[in-house]
Amino acid sequence: MARPRILVVGAGFAGVECVRRLERRLRPGEADIALVAPFSYQLYLPLLPQVASGVLTPQSVAVSLRRSSRHRTRIIPGGAVGVDPMAKICVIRKITDEVVDEPYDYIVLSPGSVTRTFDIPGLLDNARGMKTLAEAAFVRDHVIAQLDLADASHDEEERASRLQFVVVGGGYAGTETAACLQRLTTNAVRHYPRLDPKLIKWHLIDIAPKLMPELGDKLGESALKVLRDRGIEVSLGVSIAEAGPDQVTFTDGRVVPCRTLIWTAGVTASPLVTTFDAETVRGRLAVTPDMSLPGHDGMFALGDAAAVPDLAKGDGAVCPPTAQHAMRQGRRLADNLLATLRNQPLRPYVHKDLGLVVDLGGRDAVSKPLGIEMHGIGAQAVARGYHWTALRTNVAKARVMTNWLINAAAGDDFVRTGFQSRKPATLRDFEHTDSYLTPGQVREHTASLNTRM
């Protein structure tokens, strides 16, 4: 009898935790596991702002899948672009652009999320994201390049536009990105004698009335004060009306000369969830508390792509798209897959949020572990301690700790590597959101597969 085939889509926090637990707890020969991942690493997303600011090297936050696994999982290098639940086939585009069909008995959908954008003139062509490792590396090079070009320029208007930076999004990603990069440019300008430090301006804007409302009023105000004391201009209730190559127009009418627009205004579920017919909640797959997909045999979903009921909060709440929830959902789902294989009852996912950490660079941070509000050095220790502990391999932990120590002792470096220096780097260039199939295309593809067989 053929062994059941478990296919896990996505190597984020949820998918990797699910695979790791399955590898540890499956009996020999009980099932085959395959993992669909475009890269050979799990990205530790919360530390991307530190990659963008040069505190950490890109390799530090790229946790090797093969080091963290027990080699029982077949890794398929590519991305899932469609799912046919009736045929139980996942359509995968490999990194060579070859399209292959992967049959499954059980599928775990954890494709994560992509940057959420809006119909704003010029946004897709002129904004840069902070969702992938390549984007963080590009943003670092781009910001340092603006200092180099401004220093070499004799045109005051050009210089002004190169020395103003706009970050859209007052959540964790945007706030940490603005804070870390502002610290980088503040330290770097000392090495540019022709540049007036007063000309460098960072803007952080968000349409919401509060900065990081999840922190609560007291810590949110504390974070806001830290940013403003460091010279970051924070504008709330404001967004982008138009984005051009050398200026940005805010919705309050201000026009800011700017050649660096970083867009972190939220995320939306991976387009993979739209490639088959299923109920969604605000764009995320509607699943039961045990993370199964109603009406779809052998299908489960979790992480950013799924609206997993938050039983700890109740009142119809769903779990926020955080690493903390994704990791724990991955472990619970692995247990539920084992229970399904062994004809045992499935258990719901229940987890109370343990708190939040926000690293603002240097000695600045705010944290709320277990409801305890902290700021300053203590909060920084908690934030970095949490991230360090969450890294899944000793090699990754060693690299991150070494980078932190080097940065603390030697300070920032301002080397520009030239990554994609002569190519446009738009949001679409990095996240490839145009590669997914429609439900009709998926059905047509699998139907032609049956005809060929």
Side-chain angles (χ1 to χ4, degrees):
M1 182 175 177
R3 288 183 292 194
R5 298 161 298 187
I6 299 173
L7 181 64
V8 180
V9 175
F13 290 104
V16 168
E17 285 298 314
C18 181
V19 166
R20 282 168 55 89
R21 199 170 186 96
L22 286 173
E23 287 190 323
R24 288 194 300 269
R25 299 195 174 187
L26 277 171
R27 299 167 186 149
E30 190 172 12
D32 292 328
I33 314 170
L35 173 65
V36 182
F39 308 108
S40 61
Y41 59 80
Q42 174 199 357
L43 175 62
Y44 193 82
L45 195 65
L47 290 178
L48 272 190
Q50 294 192 32
V51 173
S53 62
V55 174
L56 297 176
T57 61
Q59 193 176 6
S60 303
V61 300
V63 183
S64 169
L65 293 178
R66 299 191 184 276
R67 279 186 181 272
S68 62
S69 73
R70 296 192 176 191
H71 310 298
R72 295 179 59 185
T73 299
R74 178 169 59 98
I75 299 176
I76 305 171
V81 296
V83 180
D84 187 337
M86 297 297 294
K88 286 198 168 184
I89 286 177
C90 180
V91 184
I92 299 169
R93 189 185 302 278
K94 287 187 173 181
I95 58 175
T96 58
D97 274 340
E98 176 190 2
V99 176
V100 298
D101 304 293
E102 187 69 23
Y104 64 85
D105 296 297
Y106 302 98
I107 187 169
V108 176
L109 297 176
S110 55
S113 56
V114 297
T115 301
R116 179 181 61 185
T117 58
F118 301 96
D119 189 19
I120 297 173
L123 177 66
L124 292 179
D125 293 324
N126 297 296
R128 276 78 186 174
M130 274 291 293
K131 196 75 174 64
T132 68
L133 191 57
E135 284 176 313
F138 173 82
V139 165
R140 170 177 161 76
D141 264 22
H142 175 80
V143 168
I144 295 172
Q146 301 316 299
L147 299 181
D148 289 344
L149 291 166
D151 184 64
S153 176
H154 297 289
D155 186 320
E156 293 301 322
E157 289 187 3
E158 178 191 354
R159 181 175 289 186
S161 67
R162 294 197 184 280
L163 295 180
Q164 293 212 57
F165 307 88
V166 176
V167 179
V168 183
Y172 302 108
T175 301
E176 290 185 334
T177 296
C180 290
L181 284 171
Q182 185 269 345
R183 181 174 176 271
L184 172 69
T185 56
T186 298
N187 292 335
V189 76
R190 295 195 294 266
H191 300 270
Y192 292 84
R194 296 183 67 249
L195 293 183
D196 182 353
K198 295 179 182 179
L199 293 178
I200 299 179
K201 296 181 182 178
W202 280 87
H203 302 263
L204 175 62
I205 68 173
D206 194 286
I207 196 66
K210 294 181 180 180
L211 190 73
M212 295 182 293
E214 298 89 345
L215 285 174
D217 289 344
K218 186 177 179 181
L219 274 187
E221 286 296 322
S222 178
L224 184 60
K225 184 177 185 305
V226 167
L227 297 178
R228 286 177 169 163
D229 286 349
R230 280 167 47 176
I232 298 175
E233 185 172 322
V234 182
S235 301
L236 300 174
V238 176
S239 189
I240 295 294
E242 185 175 355
D246 54 12
Q247 68 177 31
V248 174
T249 304
F250 293 173
T251 52
D252 62 5
R254 282 180 290 165
V255 178
V256 176
C258 169
R259 302 197 187 207
T260 306
L261 172 61
I262 302 173
W263 181 265
T264 66
V267 296
T268 187
S270 164
L272 182 66
V273 306
T274 66
T275 65
F276 61 96
D277 297 321
E279 183 182 351
T280 59
V281 176
R282 294 185 180 181
R284 301 164 71 187
L285 291 169
V287 297
T288 62
D290 59 27
M291 291 170 283
S292 60
L293 210 57
H296 294 81
D297 180 51
M299 293 191 76
F300 300 85
L302 69 166
D304 291 7
V308 179
D310 191 341
L311 300 183
K313 287 186 177 179
D315 295 326
V318 297
C319 296
T322 65
Q324 184 182 149
H325 279 292
M327 293 167 70
R328 288 164 175 79
Q329 288 169 9
R331 294 195 283 269
R332 169 62 68 213
L333 183 48
D335 291 341
N336 283 342
L337 279 169
L338 294 170
T340 300
L341 293 171
R342 299 165 186 173
N343 296 314
Q344 297 170 353
L346 277 60
R347 296 172 59 192
Y349 170 74
V350 183
H351 170 66
K352 185 177 181 180
D353 201 313
L354 297 179
L356 304 164
V357 295
V358 182
D359 189 334
L360 299 175
R363 299 183 177 185
D364 296 323
V366 292
S367 300
K368 196 175 182 180
L370 301 173
I372 302 171
E373 297 185 347
M374 303 177 65
H375 54 85
I377 291 290
Q380 181 67 279
V382 170
R384 294 202 170 183
Y386 171 80
H387 291 316
W388 189 80
T389 304
L391 292 165
R392 281 299 172 227
T393 68
N394 290 331
V395 172
K397 289 180 179 180
R399 283 183 177 138
V400 166
M401 182 59 71
T402 301
N403 280 192
W404 280 340
L405 292 174
I406 291 173
N407 182 259
D412 298 325
D413 85 87
F414 321 109
V415 174
R416 177 165 46 89
T417 64
F419 178 70
Q420 282 203 334
S421 60
R422 296 183 180 275
K423 294 182 180 179
T426 66
L427 293 170
R428 288 173 294 196
D429 291 327
F430 289 110
E431 298 192 35
H432 308 293
T433 53
D434 56 352
S435 62
Y436 295 87
L437 305 178
T438 65
Q441 288 173 325
V442 173
R443 288 192 293 268
E444 183 179 338
H445 178 84
T446 54
S448 66
L449 175 66
N450 293 331
T451 302
R452 293 195 299 271
M453 294 176 60

